[in-house]
Amino acid sequence: MKKDLISERLEQIICIYTNCRKIEPDIDLLAKPISLPPHDMAALFLDIEKEFGIDLNKLVPDLAIFTPSLIAKKIGVLSENRI
């Protein structure tokens, strides 16, 4: 899957949890000013798992911070490995 398509779809999913507020690609979703609550973050990752058909056990442990750009990059790598 192409990175721009992943980023676009990821942005749409994140929008659900941030009330469609524009999020910078390098902002940590768990830090201020966003600070998604733990239950929202869990739901977000479940939606990502469902949308992209990836294993959260392979996505989450490799992320030190949870920025849209790093999440999209890791989704791209995991998607390529599935093919």
Side-chain angles (χ1 to χ4, degrees):
M1 186 177 284
K2 291 186 177 185
K3 185 181 177 190
D4 56 330
L5 294 175
I6 293 170
S7 295
E8 182 179 317
R9 184 61 189 129
L10 184 59
E11 184 177 325
Q12 292 168 354
I13 295 169
I14 291 171
C15 179
I16 294 168
Y17 296 93
T18 60
N19 297 319
C20 292
R21 191 166 81 190
K22 179 69 177 163
I23 303 297
E24 295 299 318
D26 295 320
I27 193 166
D28 188 348
L29 297 172
L30 289 176
K32 292 187 182 219
I34 304 300
S35 300
L36 285 178
H39 62 280
D40 283 348
M41 198 65 175
L44 169 66
F45 276 110
L46 290 172
D47 286 347
I48 290 170
E49 179 179 53
K50 182 178 170 184
E51 176 68 27
F52 296 103
I54 57 163
D55 183 353
L56 288 179
N57 294 318
K58 294 180 181 174
L59 174 67
V60 176
D62 289 342
L63 298 172
I65 58 172
F66 297 95
T67 66
S69 60
L70 289 176
I71 295 169
K73 182 178 178 181
K74 184 63 180 177
I75 290 170
V77 169
L78 293 172
S79 295
E80 288 175 8
N81 292 338
R82 280 188 324 180
I83 298 172

